[in-house]
Amino acid sequence: MKRFGVVIFPGSNCEYDAALGVTQLGAEAEFVWHSDTDLSRFDGIILPGGFAHGDYLRPGALARFSPVMKAVAHFALEGGPVLGICNGFQVLTEAGLLAGALQKNRGLTFLSHDTTLIVASTRSVLTSEATIGQELVVPINHFSGAYTCDDATYESLVANEQVILRYRDNPNGSRGDVAGICNETRNVVGLMPHPERAMSTLLGSADGLVLMSSFVSAGIAVG
Amino acid sequence: MNYFVIVDVTLREGIADPEGATIERALPALGFTGVTNVHAAKSFRFEVEATSESAALEKANSLGERLLSNPVIENAVARLAPGNRA
């Protein structure tokens, strides 16, 4: 059975959602404290949502220096799948594992509602089982979710098909409606919306299933 | 000796500044006219142990780049704060 590590920073608060997201798909989830430095027992790593280190300084700015992040970088370099959801996405950009940065939302409003995402690329560990153009209803829950990067970075993200999800109706001012991206090797993904909270129609939407299922399928043990 | 230092963290040019824009929009309602180009920024004050002013600034600039700012969207510039002994 595939086993996924869900990293808990002081201030993470979506770790149970993330764990349920993978166990619901038949995989195992194990919490990993942010001071752990060995991730070799896992087939994939999730950085969940929340407010790591209180979001002090900037979201993700201090989490980047947690000991576990060296192990996450190593895991990613070896080709292991890494998923950052919401705050986890912010941590991955601060750590330099994903390009760009997340800024305060346009309008300076905390946004907590469903959004419609459009699959822009299926070449990533998060979108491999989706289809291009597919619309997915997935909730957002953030204050700093406006994706930002310079022109050269944006052009290269688009050219390399690293923009994997876009908002249909841009809620937060993200550049190019970007909701989620992947790295050049397509095994590190980050997105502001919460697919792990859209796993059942009883809770409003099951559209996150195809994303979480892609990620679980991508799970692979790395050196 | 210890030097008092300030690091100003400002958004890079071309990066959206929703805080500055919101403040600017609020000004007319308060009767402030003729105030434009509002930018929000952060500043950090601390003391640095160093052998010279330039060494203190170098350390502060390095700290500003590595931790206090996100170089993707922000610039960090250190300056000496008032109160340093000549």
Side-chain angles (χ1 to χ4, degrees), chain A residues 127-196:
Chain A
T127 51
S128 59
E129 295 177 3
T131 49
I132 288 192
Q134 188 175 359
E135 295 198 354
L136 304 171
V137 175
V138 179
I140 56 169
N141 193 234
H142 62 243
F143 184 73
S144 293
Y147 184 77
T148 309
C149 63
D150 61 27
D151 293 348
T153 305
Y154 184 71
E155 280 158 26
S156 108
L157 286 176
V158 170
N160 294 332
E161 263 188 61
Q162 286 173 251
V163 176
I164 57 173
L165 295 164
R166 295 184 195 271
Y167 298 107
R168 191 186 65 190
D169 310 300
N170 193 336
N172 55 19
S174 286
R175 176 163 199 176
D177 308 325
V178 167
I181 59 169
C182 66
N183 66 346
E184 282 181 27
T185 44
R186 326 200 85 85
N187 61 314
V188 179
V189 288
L191 76 171
M192 288 311 296
H194 286 271
E196 85 286 16

Side-chain angles (χ1 to χ4, degrees), chain A residues 27-192:
Chain A
E28 214 175 292
E30 186 187 315
F31 292 132
V32 180
W33 185 234
H34 77 118
S35 56
D36 284 0
T37 52
D38 180 10
L39 300 175
S40 58
R41 63 192 180 279
F42 296 116
D43 300 300
I45 300 295
I46 300 179
L47 307 187
F51 300 85
H53 297 274
D55 273 0
Y56 293 140
L57 194 56
R58 295 178 307 279
L62 300 177
R64 174 191 154 201
F65 295 101
S66 278
V68 75
M69 288 309 296
K70 267 193 184 156
V72 170
H74 176 74
F75 189 85
L77 192 69
E78 297 287 315
V82 176
L83 164 62
I85 302 171
C86 197
N87 193 225
F89 184 17
Q90 295 163 338
V91 173
L92 289 174
T93 58
E94 282 282 342
L97 292 172
L98 287 174
L102 283 311
Q103 269 197 293
K104 294 186 178 83
N105 296 337
R106 175 182 58 199
L108 296 178
T109 309
F110 189 97
L111 299 170
S112 179
H113 56 72
D114 282 342
T115 56
T116 300
L117 307 178
I118 300 173
V119 176
S121 169
T122 56
R123 294 175 56 213
S124 81
V125 292
L126 190 67
T127 51
S128 59
E129 295 177 3
T131 49
I132 288 192
Q134 188 175 359
E135 295 198 354
L136 304 171
V137 175
V138 179
I140 56 169
N141 193 234
H142 62 243
F143 184 73
S144 293
Y147 184 77
T148 309
C149 63
D150 61 27
D151 293 348
T153 305
Y154 184 71
E155 280 158 26
S156 108
L157 286 176
V158 170
N160 294 332
E161 263 188 61
Q162 286 173 251
V163 176
I164 57 173
L165 295 164
R166 295 184 195 271
Y167 298 107
R168 191 186 65 190
D169 310 300
N170 193 336
N172 55 19
S174 286
R175 176 163 199 176
D177 308 325
V178 167
I181 59 169
C182 66
N183 66 346
E184 282 181 27
T185 44
R186 326 200 85 85
N187 61 314
V188 179
V189 288
L191 76 171
M192 288 311 296

